[in-house]
Amino acid sequence: MQNRTAYGDGPAQVDLDTQLTVELASVVSAARRRATRDGDRQVDTAHLLHGLLESDPAVRDAFDGGPQIARLLGYLVQRSIGYGLQWHGTVEDSGSVPVVTEGGVPGWSPAAAAALDGALDRAHARYDTRAGCLDLLAALVDDPESRAVEVLHRASVDTGLLAARLDGDGPGQD
């Protein structure tokens, strides 16, 4: 799979930034920092989910309240010290996206790159030029084998119900 969007640094990053809301660009930057800090080779969907939950009130509002958010953040925070250690040093390959050996996005798991592409597709489908945080959340939920969805299931989130909520939101996906 050849990603149409580059997520690295330099001129390609400037191009990506023009396609994301300010809030989502901040989430992407936070996910990169978290991956680096945790010693992970790639940004994965759990890094993106963590950034979304910490950064965007609209994302938090899509869930079933404070206790569910607390459980989610608890699992995500434990990633580097307990839960999620099985992921350390491995490439996220959800099976929904073929493992990329050439032409992949350096520093991004195939599933995370596909989620960002999915967020852009979602924004473009409603004739918006920029993808927002809810677009990315919906794209993350669309990959049932991703690390983000694994975390959601661990925290007892009904991803079908979450997807339905996100599909019903329409405008205002910032």
Side-chain angles (χ1 to χ4, degrees):
M1 172 181 168
Q2 179 68 34
N3 289 295
R4 66 174 181 275
T5 310
Y7 309 113
D9 295 319
Q13 178 59 41
V14 172
D15 181 53
L16 176 63
D17 287 345
T18 66
Q19 298 180 64
L20 306 178
T21 61
V22 171
E23 296 82 5
L24 185 53
S26 176
V27 166
V28 168
S29 293
R32 276 196 205 103
R33 285 189 305 274
R34 181 166 285 109
T36 300
R37 185 185 64 232
D38 291 349
D40 294 327
R41 294 182 335 191
Q42 295 182 321
V43 173
D44 67 23
T45 59
H47 293 120
L48 292 169
L49 178 62
H50 199 159
L52 286 169
L53 288 167
E54 285 185 333
S55 300
D56 194 318
V59 166
R60 291 188 297 275
D61 288 345
F63 291 91
D64 290 332
Q68 193 171 66
I69 298 297
R71 272 194 311 274
L72 279 167
L73 287 171
Y75 279 115
L76 290 163
V77 167
Q78 290 183 59
R79 175 186 181 124
S80 62
I81 60 171
Y83 176 76
L85 278 179
Q86 75 271 15
W87 299 333
H88 191 71
T90 63
V91 174
E92 178 182 28
D93 175 28
S94 68
S96 296
V97 180
V99 173
V100 179
T101 55
E102 285 185 30
V105 181
W108 288 81
S109 75
L116 276 174
D117 283 341
L120 292 169
D121 288 344
R122 192 173 164 88
H124 295 156
R126 61 171 197 281
Y127 304 103
D128 202 335
T129 58
R130 293 178 180 254
C133 293
L134 291 174
D135 294 317
L136 180 57
L137 180 60
L140 290 172
V141 173
D142 280 346
D143 184 352
E145 301 299 319
S146 71
R147 290 178 181 172
V149 169
E150 183 178 334
V151 171
L152 291 168
H153 286 160
R154 286 266 183 170
S156 302
V157 173
D158 180 338
T159 54
L161 179 60
L162 178 58
R165 281 185 196 139
L166 294 167
D167 286 341
D169 280 344
Q173 304 260 326
D174 54 351

